[in-house]
Every structure is written in C-alpha cells, then in structure tokens.
Amino acid sequence: MTIHELQQPETPTVDELLELVGLGDRRAFGRLYDLVVPRVFGVVRRCLVDHSESEEVTQEVLLEIWKTAPRFDRGRGHALSWILTIAHRRAVDRVRASQASHTRDLVVGIRDLEIEYDHVSTSVEVRLEHARAMGALARLTPLQRESIDLAYVGGLTTKEIALRLGVPVGTVKTRIRDGLASLRDKLTA
C-alpha cells in the first residue's frame, strides 16, 4: 500500500462544487449545501431576525443557487461571495416586500376606517361661522367690502378692479389689505 492510498481524498472547494452543480451534479449540490447553509442562514438571519422566515429565505436562496449555478463565472469572483450576495439580496427583497405589504395594509386600513361624524354639530358650527363671517363683512367699509367681493368672489385682478371702480391700483390694494386685516381681527377676537 502506498502513502497516496492511505491519504483521504481531497475535499473539493466551494468553487469546484458550484461548477459541478452548474453541470447538474446532485451529489455536488448536497456537499455544497452542507458547506454553505450555515453561512447563508447567518447572512439571511441578520437581515430578517425572524427564525422561521430566515429558514424559508435560506431555502429559496439554495434553490436559486441550484437553478442559476450554470451562470457562475469563476473568473469574476469566488463562489462563496457569489452565494452570499444572492443570500443578502434575497433577504433584503423579503424585508422590502414585508415593508411594502405593511404600508399597503396601513393605507387600506386608513381608507376603510369609518370615523364617527356628528352631522348636526358640524352643521351648527358651519352656520355659526357663516354668521360670524357675514357680521365681520358687514362691519367693513363699503369700499373695502366691494373691493374684497370683486377680488375673491368675482375673481378679478387688482388692475381689473381699479378699472371697474375708476381708482388707482394702489388704492384697490390698500382697500383689500385693510379689509382683510379688519376681517382677521374681527374673526380671531
């Protein structure tokens, strides 16, 4: 018996196993699985925290590795880096999907939330505010009230109001400014 016969056969590297997996070798995939699953699970677990969800994503990653192994190019990097990148991306995708789902549920929940609404008290409040506004408008000078009415109800510009009333633009601006200040004072008091 020779020394070579007594030595254990050399263990293939992750790179070599992945290349064999790319050729469809199921036994190589089993060995690769055993070698990388703890590292893949660790990467996924750091992103997801939840143990059962991490296990699920780890299985998805290993299935993706089985399917995409033929695309691995040893000249572009190490197999373990490629595998862990897939794991990280898949875990991040799961986090994003979970956040999007949570946001969607929240938006739907808010949209469907029926808030108790007291129509009577709202109607009373609107009437009271209307009466206060009309009272405040009634206390403006007729010139201020006319300028504000033409600007806000009629939708005219200060130039158009000045032409209609036959006064300078500055006078119209002053009437509107003073009238609005007066309204503000009367309505906030």
Side-chain angles (χ1 to χ4, degrees):
M1 202 176 251
T2 67
I3 294 178
H4 291 299
E5 292 172 342
L6 293 176
Q7 291 179 342
Q8 293 291 330
E10 192 175 311
T11 305
T13 66
V14 173
D15 290 41
E16 292 166 340
L17 286 172
L18 187 58
E19 285 181 345
L20 292 172
V21 170
L23 298 172
D25 187 332
R26 291 176 185 268
R27 293 181 80 200
F29 182 72
R31 292 178 76 185
L32 178 70
Y33 183 99
D34 292 339
L35 283 174
V36 300
V37 78
R39 304 268 314 262
V40 169
F41 182 76
V43 166
V44 171
R45 178 70 188 218
R46 276 193 301 259
C47 291
L48 296 179
V49 181
D50 180 70
H51 187 80
S52 61
E53 192 173 17
S54 298
E55 287 176 339
E56 183 180 321
V57 171
T58 298
Q59 290 304 314
E60 291 172 9
V61 167
L62 289 158
L63 180 61
E64 184 176 345
I65 289 166
W66 171 255
K67 290 178 178 179
T68 60
R71 286 192 246 150
F72 172 68
D73 180 5
R74 198 174 192 179
R76 295 179 64 190
H78 295 285
L80 189 58
S81 299
W82 184 75
I83 291 168
L84 296 179
T85 299
I86 292 172
H88 183 259
R89 286 181 182 160
R90 183 61 69 112
V92 168
D93 287 347
R94 178 64 66 96
V95 169
R96 287 181 181 150
S98 176
Q99 288 171 342
S101 174
H102 175 74
T103 301
R104 253 189 328 273
D105 291 347
L106 185 61
V107 167
V108 168
I110 289 170
R111 183 194 67 208
D112 294 344
L113 179 67
E114 291 187 26
I115 298 172
E116 293 289 323
Y117 184 69
D118 187 357
H119 295 283
V120 174
S121 68
T122 301
S123 178
V124 169
E125 281 183 44
V126 167
R127 286 184 185 155
L128 289 173
E129 287 298 316
H130 181 263
R132 280 185 65 213
M134 294 309 289
L137 278 169
R139 286 180 280 200
L140 296 177
T141 68
L143 296 173
Q144 290 173 336
R145 191 171 39 252
E146 181 181 34
S147 296
I148 289 173
D149 185 51
L150 289 171
Y152 291 96
V153 178
L156 300 178
T157 66
T158 52
K159 274 186 176 180
E160 293 169 335
I161 296 169
L163 285 172
R164 183 176 282 188
L165 299 178
V167 296
V169 174
T171 302
V172 172
K173 289 181 179 180
T174 300
R175 288 177 185 172
I176 292 173
R177 184 191 67 234
D178 291 347
L180 291 175
S182 178
L183 283 174
R184 183 184 63 239
D185 293 342
K186 289 174 176 128
L187 292 174
T188 57

